[in-house]
Amino acid sequence: MPASRPRPRGTIRVGSVAGSDVLVSGSWFLVAALIAVLVAPRAELVQPGLGGWAYVAGFVFAVLLYGSVLLHEASHAVVAKRYGFTVSSITLHFLGGMTAIEGEARKPRQEFWIAVVGPLTSIAVGLGALALLLVTPDGLPRLAVEALAAANLLVGVLNLVPGLPLDGGRVLKSAVWRLSGDPHRGTVVAGWGGRATAVLMLGWPLLLQYGLGRTPQLVDYLLAFVIAVFLWSGANAAMAAARVRRRLPGLAARSLARRSIAVPAPTPLAEAVRRAQEAEAGGIVTLDADGHPAGLVDEAALLAVPAERRPWVPVSTVARTLTDAATMPAGLVGEGLVAALGRAPAPTYLVVEDDGRIHGVLVTGDVERAFRALP
Ligand SMILES: [Zn+2]
């Protein structure tokens, strides 16, 4: 049985697709209610006499709509899995969906196919719905299939717009990556594409007014604003993450680790601190009776012990038990190092050489400082 993963706050799990949890965020229910209210009058129009059931029909509609969003996301997930990536979850939220893929594409071809399959799926579903219209009876079913066709074609085409965080942005990124050999450049170009799309989006009400001769409503301004903010912040986040990845190779466990001393667990704390100061060490490792590393002294716990008590407590009382996850090879660098820190968050880690010798103690705060200081 797969271990249950921690769920992001404010989401509920509704099931799983291809082995990944499907989560629905709380904001989705607001949108579903909004769609129900907006659709109800239309439902009543095509099928008079529904009364309160018109709202139920509206809600079913919202579920159908997001069912097709789920298909779109599931296609990203399936292709990512075929390339060997772990897909932790698919989340449906008010603006659509998000597939959480762990790790980054290693080749432009992977980036391209994982991205492009989503819009292609939506367009295929849209065309399928169009074909279904030929045999769909009038009334509610027709209203539903028409809306599905329109929504999926719209989602498919809009997602191909070449700007991050849209799928089309990732397609553009893969193309620039392929041509230049530099994934970072791909992200920067696609990020600017996303920013430009965000600015264009703000012009949507103007396009309505002067291009299509329709007076924009409040909802048009609101929608344009919300989508522009979503695009702008998504583009920024993608570019920031790319900058981080580019800087990462400068981080190495071996050079960041503090020199450490090792003392038997029963050693009095005062004595351990004295030896550490003498050796100018920044970390203390406690050893078990067999001389194996057993714990790492926690700086905060150490400082909490008053100086006059330190001669009387064994150093092991302020040490955290060493787990396998808190032990890392000295050769770890860049993304590997950050991934190891992320897998088992802790304030300190034991850094060991390949032959098992203790190299030193890595303090998470040191990594963060070193990261901020990278050029
Ligand atoms: Zn997508």
Side-chain angles (χ1 to χ4, degrees):
M1 210 179 94
S4 68
R5 277 179 284 268
R7 222 174 35 228
R9 282 163 68 94
T11 63
I12 58 165
R13 184 180 176 279
V14 292
S16 75
V17 165
S20 306
D21 287 343
V22 176
L23 312 174
V24 174
S25 82
S27 66
W28 180 83
F29 291 94
L30 271 176
V31 177
L34 188 68
I35 291 175
V37 170
L38 288 174
V39 168
R42 282 276 293 158
E44 179 66 37
L45 206 65
V46 298
Q47 197 127 340
L50 281 174
W53 287 102
Y55 292 94
V56 178
F59 186 78
V60 171
F61 223 74
V63 172
L64 272 176
L65 218 58
Y66 277 84
S68 53
V69 171
L70 181 58
L71 275 177
H72 172 115
E73 298 301 328
S75 71
H76 287 308
V78 167
V79 174
K81 280 193 178 172
R82 284 205 51 165
Y83 281 125
F85 292 97
T86 302
V87 178
S88 39
S89 64
I90 295 173
T91 308
L92 298 179
H93 54 75
F94 77 107
L95 269 181
M98 215 254 316
T99 303
I101 299 168
E102 289 174 21
E104 286 291 313
R106 291 170 296 272
K107 293 186 185 123
R109 191 165 41 89
Q110 296 176 346
E111 182 85 30
F112 174 80
W113 284 113
I114 294 172
V116 84
V117 69
L120 291 185
T121 301
S122 292
I123 290 171
V125 172
L127 292 177
L130 273 186
L132 200 63
L133 270 183
L134 300 173
V135 293
T136 308
D138 279 347
L140 276 184
R142 194 166 185 88
L143 184 64
V145 176
E146 270 174 3
L148 272 181
N152 277 285
L153 289 174
L154 196 70
V155 164
V157 171
L158 288 186
N159 258 301
L160 283 174
V161 171
L164 287 173
L166 300 173
D167 293 326
R170 299 182 55 194
V171 170
L172 174 62
K173 175 190 166 182
S174 72
V176 176
W177 181 0
R178 176 75 201 263
L179 290 173
S180 68
D182 180 3
H184 183 73
R185 180 170 298 172
T187 306
V188 170
V189 170
W192 277 105
R195 288 174 171 178
T197 311
V199 172
L200 285 178
M201 199 58 224
L202 285 178
W204 167 244
L206 293 177
L207 179 77
L208 276 181
Q209 179 112 53
Y210 301 105
L212 304 173
R214 221 190 82 193
T215 311
Q217 309 288 305
L218 179 63
V219 64
D220 293 312
Y221 285 105
L222 250 157
L223 207 64
F225 179 74
V226 169
I227 295 177
V229 168
F230 168 78
L231 288 174
W232 184 271
S233 56
N236 284 355
M239 290 164 90
R243 271 196 302 278
V244 166
R245 271 194 303 282
R246 189 142 95 153
R247 287 155 71 178
L248 280 180
L251 297 178
R254 176 172 281 114
S255 58
L256 286 171
R258 295 181 180 182
R259 187 211 306 256
S260 67
I261 58 156
V263 295
T267 311
L269 182 53
E271 171 62 12
V273 169
R274 191 193 63 75
R275 284 194 216 170
Q277 282 167 347
E278 198 177 80
E280 294 181 357
I284 302 175
V285 183
T286 61
L287 303 173
D288 62 17
D290 302 323
H292 295 130
L296 291 176
V297 168
D298 186 70
E299 216 169 338
L302 186 158
L303 293 174
V305 179
E308 65 273 18
R309 292 214 353 101
R310 290 184 191 170
W312 313 106
V313 292
V315 63
S316 56
T317 55
V318 294
R320 278 176 313 105
T321 307
L322 194 61
T323 58
D324 282 346
T327 306
M328 57 173 66
L332 220 47
V333 292
E335 261 180 275
L337 175 60
V338 172
L341 295 177
R343 267 196 300 275
T348 49
Y349 300 83
L350 182 68
V351 179
V352 293
E353 297 291 355
D354 287 343
D355 57 10
R357 271 184 307 119
I358 297 175
H359 171 78
V361 171
L362 185 70
V363 179
T364 306
D366 291 351
V367 183
E368 284 162 7
R369 263 189 299 280
F371 177 71
R372 280 198 297 271
L374 284 175

